[in-house]
Amino acid sequence: MSEKEYQRVLVWSGWLRLSHWTIGLTTLVLLLTGWLIAESPSLARSSLDVHYLAAGILVSGLIVRIALMFIGQEHEHLTALIPASSEFKAGAKTLRFYISLGKMPLPRWYAQNPLWKPLYLLIYLVLLVQVASGAVMH
């Protein structure tokens, strides 16, 4: 293989990609419909139906993602979202890369970006709290 050729390596499974797209898109729909319910009385009723539908799909996506945290591939496990002590330097370098708007060198990593690992975990926890609070609202 020459220097200019690259080899693609599948890191994330289709199930993980599906759960991420599901979580991301339904979160956007929930934000929009939640805003419409609060701010637009004329659209509140139909927005509420879409909001509940999106909430159900979000729960499905979260269930798949949580299952993958325990039974998925190595880089999909819960432990992959907790940075190792050796990754703190790479996380700091990644933060410097972002702050410099790409002028600093980007550290190499395989699979999870070390800066985003704990943030992904936090996002999942916040989504679970949101789902729980939405479920007990009525």
Side-chain angles (χ1 to χ4, degrees):
M1 186 181 301
S2 72
E3 290 181 7
K4 292 186 180 186
E5 290 182 32
Y6 294 96
Q7 180 181 2
R8 296 188 83 167
V9 177
L10 180 65
V11 176
W12 311 116
S13 70
W15 285 106
L16 183 73
R17 291 174 191 272
L18 178 65
S19 71
H20 277 192
W21 277 102
T22 301
I23 291 167
L25 292 176
T26 55
T27 299
L28 291 175
V29 171
L30 288 164
L31 286 168
L32 177 64
T33 56
W35 176 76
L36 286 172
I37 291 165
E39 300 296 327
S40 178
S42 62
L43 296 174
R45 186 71 176 151
S46 59
S47 296
L48 190 62
D49 294 338
V50 173
H51 194 79
Y52 285 143
L53 177 64
I57 296 170
L58 172 68
V59 169
S60 301
L62 281 172
I63 288 171
V64 169
R65 181 60 186 110
I66 290 168
L68 290 172
M69 286 181 185
F70 299 101
I71 61 171
Q73 297 174 10
E74 177 185 355
H75 295 294
E76 299 169 347
H77 283 188
L78 178 62
T79 55
L81 295 175
I82 301 169
S85 59
S86 63
E87 295 176 315
F88 287 121
K89 283 186 180 181
K93 287 180 182 178
T94 304
L95 183 58
R96 283 194 293 274
F97 172 80
Y98 289 143
I99 290 172
S100 72
L101 301 175
K103 292 184 173 129
M104 298 292 290
L106 183 63
R108 295 180 164 267
W109 64 79
Y110 180 73
Q112 282 289 13
N113 176 331
L115 178 65
W116 285 92
K117 282 183 172 187
L119 293 176
Y120 283 135
L121 193 56
L122 179 65
I123 288 169
Y124 293 135
L125 290 174
V126 167
L127 284 172
L128 287 171
V129 169
Q130 292 275 325
V131 166
S133 69
V136 298
M137 228 173 180
H138 293 285

